[in-house]
Amino acid sequence: MGRLFSGGRLLGFLAGLIVLFIVAAVTLHNRAFRSSWPERAVRDVTSIVSEWLYTPTFQVETFFSRIKDLTALYQENSALQALAAKDATLQISLDQIKQANVQLQQMVGYRSTNPQYKLIAARVTGRSPLTWDSDITISVGRDAGVARDMPVLNQNGALVGRVTSASNLSSVVSLLTSSASADGVSASIINGKQATFGIVSGNAAAPNDLLMQFISQMSTTAHVGDLVVTSGLSTMYPRGILIGKVQSFQLDGTGITKSAVIAPAANFNAIDYVFVLVPGAGQVIP
C-alpha cells in the first residue's frame, strides 16, 4: 500500500482526480443550458397556456378593481357633495344671521339716540306674496301696548306704515307702498327754505316708489333731492319722521297742483325688524 501511493504515482492519481472533477463540472454546466425537444415543447405549450389564462384573468381582475375604484370615487364624490351642500346651508344661515345682526345693531343705535320716544321693537312674522306691497304682520300686539293707527318705523327710523289692526300678540301693518288704501300721509318737502306740503301714498305705476300729490304749483322752493318727512298736520304721525327723497316732479294737468315721485328711505323689500312708535303729545322726530 505504501508503494502504491508513494512518489510520482500519488501525484499522478491526484492530478487525474482533479481533471475528472473539472470535466464533470463542465459537462454538467453545458447540459444545464441544453434541453431536449420534448422539454422545449412542453415549456412552449406551458408558456402559451399560461399566457392564455393569465390575460383574461388579469383583465377580469383589472375590471373589478376599476369598479371598486369607481365605487369608492362615487362614494367620495357623494360625501363631498353632501359636505358642499352642508357648507352652502351653513353659509346661508351665517349670512342671514349677519344681516339680522346688522339690523339689530341699527335698532339699538336708533333707540339709544332717541331715548325720549317710546319704541316697541317687533319682528316681521308674516308677509303674503299676494299683498307684498300692502301689509305685513308683526310679532307684537295689544299686550305690548300696540294700538291701531300707531306709526311703524324701520330699524333706522324711516316710516314704513301704520298699524291697522292689533290682536293680543300680533298686529297688521299697512305699508306706505300700498296703493289699495285711500289713506295718505301728510308730508312736507324740506330743504332749509319754506316747507312744501302734500300727501304721500303708494305709487301704482311704480310699486317701489311713493307718490306725493296735491303740491301747489305755486311752490318753487322744492327741488329734486330734497328730503320728505311727515308734516305733523295729522294727529296720526308726529312731525319729522323721514319718508324719503324727491326723485322728480310732474304736472297733474289741473293747473293747480303737481306731484312728486318719492324714493322711500325704507327698503320695503327687506323689512325684518320694525319699531312701533307710541306717539306722545307734541313730539317731533328729528
Side-chain angles (χ1 to χ4, degrees):
M1 179 66 69
R3 292 181 180 178
L4 183 61
F5 292 102
S6 61
R9 291 181 180 181
L10 179 59
L11 293 175
F13 175 76
L14 292 175
L17 187 60
I18 291 172
V19 171
L20 179 62
F21 280 137
I22 293 173
V23 171
V26 172
T27 302
L28 291 174
H29 180 268
N30 291 334
R31 188 174 181 181
F33 289 93
R34 292 197 303 270
S35 60
S36 63
W37 71 266
E39 292 175 338
R40 292 195 300 271
V42 170
R43 189 165 55 245
D44 292 341
V45 171
T46 302
S47 176
I48 294 172
V49 172
S50 298
E51 183 179 1
W52 180 76
L53 292 175
Y54 173 76
T55 300
T57 302
F58 176 76
Q59 292 177 348
V60 170
E61 182 181 359
T62 303
F63 174 74
F64 283 107
S65 176
R66 289 179 178 176
I67 289 180
K68 183 178 179 181
D69 292 340
L70 288 174
T71 302
L73 182 62
Y74 173 79
Q75 293 174 346
E76 183 177 345
N77 186 56
S78 298
L80 290 174
Q81 288 180 344
L83 288 174
K86 184 177 180 180
D87 183 66
T89 302
L90 291 175
Q91 186 62 48
I92 292 173
S93 299
L94 179 61
D95 291 341
Q96 292 174 339
I97 291 172
K98 287 181 177 179
Q99 292 173 3
N101 186 54
V102 169
Q103 294 186 46
L104 291 173
Q105 286 180 344
Q106 291 172 337
M107 293 182 76
V108 171
Y110 182 77
R111 186 193 289 273
S112 64
T113 55
N114 295 277
Q116 68 274 30
Y117 306 126
K118 183 178 180 181
L119 300 170
I120 303 173
R123 179 170 48 88
V124 176
T125 57
R127 189 172 189 178
S128 171
L130 299 177
T131 57
W132 185 262
D133 297 319
S134 299
D135 56 64
I136 57 175
T137 302
I138 60 176
S139 62
V140 293
R142 289 194 297 264
D143 289 352
V146 176
R148 181 183 172 89
D149 291 335
M150 285 184 175
V152 178
L153 317 178
N154 75 347
Q155 71 274 10
N156 294 315
L159 186 62
V160 169
R162 66 181 179 89
V163 176
T164 53
S165 66
S167 59
N168 290 336
L169 300 176
S170 64
S171 302
V172 176
V173 177
S174 177
L175 299 176
L176 278 180
T177 51
S178 174
S179 58
S181 175
D183 296 337
V185 179
S186 177
S188 61
I189 301 173
I190 57 172
N191 54 15
K193 301 178 182 179
Q194 183 179 358
T196 301
F197 297 96
I199 302 297
V200 173
S201 60
N203 190 346
N208 291 326
D209 293 327
L210 301 172
L211 188 64
M212 186 173 181
Q213 297 175 296
F214 310 114
I215 302 171
S216 173
Q217 288 195 19
M218 301 298 293
S219 174
T220 58
T221 58
H223 300 90
V224 172
D226 290 346
L227 294 179
V228 179
V229 300
T230 54
S231 65
L233 299 178
S234 167
T235 57
M236 190 179 301
Y237 300 97
R239 180 165 61 92
I241 301 176
L242 180 62
I243 295 176
K245 185 181 294 186
V246 177
Q247 279 191 317
S248 63
F249 290 97
Q250 56 191 24
L251 298 178
D252 288 341
T254 62
I256 301 174
T257 60
K258 59 184 177 180
S259 301
V261 176
I262 309 300
N267 182 1
F268 285 89
N269 290 320
I271 306 175
D272 298 314
Y273 298 92
V274 296
F275 283 121
V276 178
L277 173 63
V278 181
Q283 282 188 343
V284 177
I285 308 298

